[in-house]
């Protein structure tokens, strides 16, 4: 491939003027997305090695080390460049692909060597696995840009690239979405006539596992456990559906496209009126990658969302982060949520990790004349009306309020407990263990008091919620519920208390959350505490937790480490003594409405026993009845009558 002088790198992100006619909600158009891609790429490439094989961005290294982080910088930005150039039918005014071609040649010359350019080799996930993740981005980038990059490489470089990529196929992935990385590598190799029995096996194995992880309603578990999070959209749906689209495999596209369509029926509601995706699960530093499945649905036509709604969600998410400090003064996407936020991060995150946000640029594969870019923006689902949506398959309950644009996710089914590990409080993950998450709040850090949590305290030691067993979910007209059970675990002292368990039910209605817990088997001297939403003093949010039954004390707690949204947080707390079996009920509220009605005026308890509670709502006199053993949840004007 010829190596002409490269054009100068673009400066920081310079966006066009907002177009409030075509995009009345965000002002963003396709030109804004192209400018954002160019700005992010230009800033990152200023940290490239001389031959461009590694992009060594500044910052604390990941657990995989600096060289792996440099490969990550190359691979993840290649993905953005590939969507950018392929979407422009090969037009590449900034010479991105020439840079990546040079880097590919240098990085694959002597893999594993300790020099300025060589890529690390790909090994098993528990040895040196991170390069396997990056191999998928390299392979997909090469596949998307084949006429302008791969086909122009010398055959020797092509052979070296294939040999390096095959490391992903020959080694063992992590037992989750990682199986889609060799799947993607194999798909590229087959697309350029380099497939064989090895690539076929890699693809078959990934699809077999994907089938076993399909839980229904468009939701996949990320592995054999019950981890439901953003990996559904930016990995488990993205790779197979995009592969089928690129291959024009109508059988696979029909299968994966139907599931994507169903997934977007619920996921489309998980963006707030301000554009924020739901703050839930790991790898949140990937930020606007949350919109990748929305873009893919619009690109392939497998979506329930109109083009104007899809662009509203995509552009709203991109603008949300660009407006809130996710890109620093140097033009780099930093580690965090808005700006830097250590508690959001995982050990595998390094300086270039945020560039998985590149996946959102898959929408650029839709040409300029596509309805995704030409339709007038429409309101997001959370901006249209109050919604309550029950998702029994993953055990989630979605609640949104139009007046303030807040979306809440009540978690009664997603955890991060690995199937092969014993249940332990040491494995508690704030990004999964909380009872509720939202688009305006984040969980408190591990060392601070936990928000949205029911804890049993035994000998002064607070319990953790790790493995979650869903008990069901359902909905009616304007209301919905979800329930779960967990065994309290303790990080010090005895790890478990024999016979102790907690059964939890959330009923969402308007802006209110009725939270009912039954504690079973509490030993003498035990105490229970329940916390609400964590908010900052500078935020225009009200977090309230009103006791309805069983609670004897209430106060406010502080979380000095704050959340992803605020440097310092406070949260309401309820307390009570507990022994044996007892039911506790409270009404939680998170709202940004000015002068909201007090939560204390919203509902009252009609009756309560150790096995059931009935609550009457003040606005219309309807009654919610929750009974345990067996679990039943009823709501209506006659729900509590017998």
């Amino acid at each position: 491939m010829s190596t002409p002088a490269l054009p100068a790198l673009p400066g920081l992100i310079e966006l066009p003027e907002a177009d409030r006619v075509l995009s009345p909600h965000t002002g963003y158009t396709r030109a804004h997305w192209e400018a954002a891609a160019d700005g992010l790429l230009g800033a990152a490439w200023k940290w490239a090695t001389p031959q461009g094989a590694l992009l060594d961005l500044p910052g604390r290294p990941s657990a995989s080390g600096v060289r792996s982080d440099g490969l990550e910088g190359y691979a993840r930005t290649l993905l953005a460049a590939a969507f950018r150039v392929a979407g422009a039918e090969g037009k590449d005014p900034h010479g991105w692909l020439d840079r990546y071609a040079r880097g590919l040649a240098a990085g694959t010359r002597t893999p594993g060597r300790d020099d300025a350019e060589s890529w690390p080799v790909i090994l098993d996930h528990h040895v040196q696995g991170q390069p396997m993740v990056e191999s998928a981005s390299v392979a997909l980038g090469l596949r998307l840009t084949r006429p302008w990059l791969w086909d122009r490489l010398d055959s020797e470089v092509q052979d070296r690239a294939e040999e390096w990529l095959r490391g992903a196929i020959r080694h063992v992935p992590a037992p989750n979405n990682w199986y889609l990385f060799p799947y993607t590598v194999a798909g590229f190799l087959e697309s350029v006539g380099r497939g064989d029995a090895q690539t076929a096996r890699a693809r078959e194995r990934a699809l077999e596992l994907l089938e076993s992880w399909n839980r229904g309603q468009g939701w996949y578990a990320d592995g054999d456990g019950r981890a439901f999070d953003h990996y559904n959209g930016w990995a488990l749906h993205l790779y197979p559906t995009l592969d089928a689209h690129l291959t024009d495999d109508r059988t696979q596209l029909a299968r994966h496209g139907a599931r994507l369509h169903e997934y977007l029926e619920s996921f489309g509601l998980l963006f707030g009126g301000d554009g924020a995706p739901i703050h839930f699960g790991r790898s949140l530093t990937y930020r606007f990658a949350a919109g990748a499945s929305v873009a893919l649905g619009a690109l392939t036509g497998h979506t329930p969302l109109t083009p104007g709604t899809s662009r509203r969600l995509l552009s709203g998410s991109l603008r949300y982060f660009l407006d809130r400090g996710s890109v620093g003064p140097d033009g780099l996407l930093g580690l965090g949520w808005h700006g830097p936020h250590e508690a959001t991060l995982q050990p595998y995150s390094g300086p270039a990790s945020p560039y998985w946000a590149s996946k959102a640029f898959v929408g650029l594969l839709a040409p300029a004349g596509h309805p995704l870019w030409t339709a007038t923006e429409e309101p997001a689902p959370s901006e249209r009306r109050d919604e309550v949506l029950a998702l029994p398959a993953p055990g989630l309950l979605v609640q949104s309020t139009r007046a303030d644009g807040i979306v809440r996710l009540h978690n009664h089914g997603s955890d991060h407990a690995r199937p092969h590990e014993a249940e332990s409080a040491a494995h508690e993950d704030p990004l999964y263990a909380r009872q509720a998450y939202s688009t305006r709040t984040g969980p408190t850090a591990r060392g601070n008091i936990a928000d949205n949590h029911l804890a049993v305290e035994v000998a002064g030691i607070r319990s953790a919620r790790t493995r979650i067993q869903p008990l069901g979910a359902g909905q009616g007209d304007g209301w919905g519920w979800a329930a779960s059970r967990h065994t309290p675990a303790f990080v010090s002292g005895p790890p478990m208390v024999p016979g102790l368990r907690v059964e939890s039910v959330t009923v969402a209605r308007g802006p209110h959350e009725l939270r009912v817990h039954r504690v079973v088997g509490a030993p003498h001297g035990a105490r229970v505490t329940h916390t609400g939403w964590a908010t900052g003093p500078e935020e225009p949010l009200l977090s309230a937790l009103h006791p309805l039954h069983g609670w004897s004390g209430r106060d406010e707690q502080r979380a000095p480490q704050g959340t992803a949204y605020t440097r310092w947080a406070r949260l309401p707390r309820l307390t009570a003594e507990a022994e044996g079996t007892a039911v506790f009920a409270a009404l939680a509220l998170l709202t940004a409405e000015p002068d909201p009605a007090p939560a204390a005026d919203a509902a009252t308890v009609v009756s309560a026993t150790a096995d059931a509670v009935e609550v009457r709502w003040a606005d219309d006199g309807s009654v919610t009845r929750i009974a345990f053993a067996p679990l039943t949840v009823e709501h209506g004007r006659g729900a509590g009558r017998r």
Side-chain angles (χ1 to χ4, degrees):
M1 183 172 182
S2 60
T3 55
L6 298 174
L9 291 170
L12 301 181
I13 297 176
E14 297 181 5
L15 298 178
E17 290 293 321
D19 184 340
R20 292 292 177 178
V21 175
L22 183 61
S23 303
H25 296 273
T26 69
Y28 277 23
T29 64
R30 194 177 197 278
H32 290 79
W33 280 84
E34 292 175 332
D38 289 335
L40 292 172
L41 289 167
W45 264 92
K46 292 175 182 176
W47 300 91
T49 51
Q51 294 300 311
L54 305 170
L55 272 62
D56 294 321
L57 306 187
R60 71 143 173 89
S62 72
S64 298
V66 171
R67 186 169 296 272
S68 177
D69 293 344
L71 169 63
E72 191 169 69
Y74 174 95
R76 299 188 178 196
T77 58
L78 169 59
L79 204 51
F83 289 136
R84 169 76 171 93
V85 176
E89 299 181 329
K91 296 174 185 173
D92 187 10
H94 300 292
W96 298 128
L97 299 191
D98 287 337
R99 289 181 169 86
Y100 286 102
R102 292 181 179 185
L104 180 71
T108 58
R109 188 170 290 115
T110 52
R113 180 176 292 182
D114 183 16
D115 57 27
E117 305 286 348
S118 294
W119 288 354
V121 295
I122 302 171
L123 300 176
D124 294 344
H125 76 94
H126 60 284
V127 179
Q128 185 174 299
Q130 189 61 34
M132 185 182 295
V133 181
E134 311 319 318
S135 71
S137 293
V138 172
L140 185 53
L142 293 174
R143 184 173 183 178
L144 291 166
T145 61
R146 177 181 176 178
W148 314 289
L149 202 169
W150 177 262
D151 288 349
R152 297 172 61 198
L153 293 172
D154 295 338
S155 60
E156 179 186 353
V157 177
Q158 291 179 339
D159 292 343
R160 295 203 310 258
E162 176 187 353
E163 180 60 24
W164 182 82
L165 287 168
R166 280 188 177 272
I169 300 174
R170 296 168 181 153
H171 289 90
V172 180
N176 53 19
N177 70 90
W178 277 43
Y179 274 84
L180 291 170
F181 303 145
Y183 171 89
T184 301
V185 168
F188 163 66
L189 293 176
E190 291 181 355
S191 74
V192 294
R194 293 175 178 245
D196 55 19
Q198 194 177 61
T199 62
R201 282 195 300 271
R203 290 173 64 77
E204 290 169 3
R205 178 59 174 154
L207 293 180
E208 288 171 356
L209 288 172
L210 194 64
E211 287 301 306
S212 72
W213 298 334
N214 178 26
R215 298 292 188 264
Q217 294 185 282
W219 287 82
Y220 293 104
D222 189 16
D224 288 345
R226 290 197 57 84
F228 301 99
D229 51 31
H230 283 292
Y231 279 84
N232 263 272
W234 63 42
L236 295 162
H237 279 290
L238 179 71
Y239 290 113
T241 309
L242 182 56
D243 175 86
H245 173 73
L246 295 174
T247 308
D248 196 23
D249 185 331
R250 298 190 179 184
T251 300
Q252 289 294 337
L253 187 56
R255 171 183 296 174
H256 299 303
R259 291 178 185 170
L260 175 62
H261 186 287
E262 191 173 17
Y263 172 67
L264 293 174
E265 289 176 358
S266 58
F267 185 69
L269 186 57
L270 290 175
F271 291 82
D274 57 3
I278 197 78
H279 192 282
F280 173 58
R282 65 190 179 96
S283 299
L284 293 173
T285 195
Y286 302 161
R287 297 181 173 97
F288 48 87
S293 59
V294 176
L296 184 62
L299 172 68
T300 63
H302 293 278
T303 179
L305 306 170
T306 65
T309 302
S310 294
R311 194 170 80 256
R312 165 70 181 102
L313 296 178
L314 288 168
S315 294
S317 180
L318 177 62
R319 178 158 195 164
Y320 174 84
F321 288 109
L322 294 185
D323 286 351
R324 288 170 174 78
S326 66
V327 176
D330 54 5
L332 297 175
L333 272 175
L335 284 164
W337 182 244
H338 293 164
H341 185 245
E342 185 69 24
T344 299
L345 309 180
Q346 284 71 51
Y348 55 75
S349 294
S353 293
Y355 287 83
W356 241 34
S358 297
K359 293 185 173 187
F361 292 101
V362 66
L364 289 177
L365 295 181
H370 192 282
L372 176 63
W373 304 115
T374 61
T376 302
E377 271 186 352
E378 300 176 41
S382 63
E383 295 177 295
R384 294 173 182 166
R385 66 187 73 86
D386 289 2
E387 292 273 8
V388 179
L389 177 63
L391 299 171
L396 304 174
L397 178 68
V398 185
Q399 174 191 19
S400 70
T401 43
R402 178 181 180 274
D404 54 17
I406 298 177
V407 179
R408 308 152 192 83
L409 181 68
H410 303 286
N411 178 26
H412 289 274
S414 177
D415 58 41
H416 207 220
R418 299 178 181 180
H420 62 279
E421 291 178 339
E423 193 161 348
S424 168
H427 299 150
E428 182 186 27
D429 189 339
L431 296 167
Y432 295 87
R434 305 294 196 253
Q435 186 176 337
Y437 298 83
S438 86
T439 55
R440 292 288 296 274
T441 65
T444 53
R446 191 184 299 272
N448 287 190
I449 185 170
D451 63 292
N452 290 317
H453 179 57
L454 187 288
V456 181
E457 295 183 7
V458 178
I461 302 170
R462 233 179 247 134
S463 70
R465 183 188 192 219
T466 53
R467 200 178 304 279
I468 301 170
Q469 298 176 309
L471 298 178
Q475 67 186 84
D477 184 12
W479 71 283
W481 67 276
S484 62
R485 177 175 60 240
H486 76 275
T487 300
F490 299 86
V491 76
S492 61
M496 299 289 174
V497 174
L500 179 64
R501 71 177 187 271
V502 174
E503 298 163 344
S504 303
V505 180
T506 301
V507 176
R509 187 174 181 270
H512 297 106
E513 311 154 35
L514 173 60
R515 300 181 180 182
V516 178
H517 303 274
R518 186 172 80 145
V519 178
V520 178
H524 175 73
R527 193 171 84 124
V528 291
T529 64
H530 184 42
T531 53
W533 298 95
T535 59
E538 75 284 1
E539 296 180 298
L541 293 171
L542 170 67
S543 170
L545 193 60
H546 175 68
L548 291 175
H549 175 74
W551 301 106
S552 57
R554 62 192 302 184
D555 60 15
E556 184 177 84
Q557 294 289 296
R558 298 184 175 193
Q561 284 182 272
T563 72
Y565 294 80
T566 179
R567 293 178 58 198
W568 182 93
R570 58 194 175 198
L571 55 158
R573 183 179 70 163
L574 303 177
T575 59
E577 303 299 315
E579 184 172 357
T581 298
V583 167
F584 303 89
L587 204 62
L589 179 67
L590 174 70
T591 181
E593 288 193 67
D595 302 318
D601 297 340
T604 55
V605 169
V606 176
S607 65
T609 68
D611 296 310
V613 63
E614 291 185 7
V615 173
R616 175 171 286 114
W617 298 90
D619 60 347
D620 63 358
S622 61
V623 172
T624 298
R625 183 177 192 275
I626 299 170
F628 298 90
L631 177 72
T632 59
V633 180
E634 301 172 306
H635 176 82
R637 292 190 179 274
R641 299 172 187 164
R642 292 298 181 197

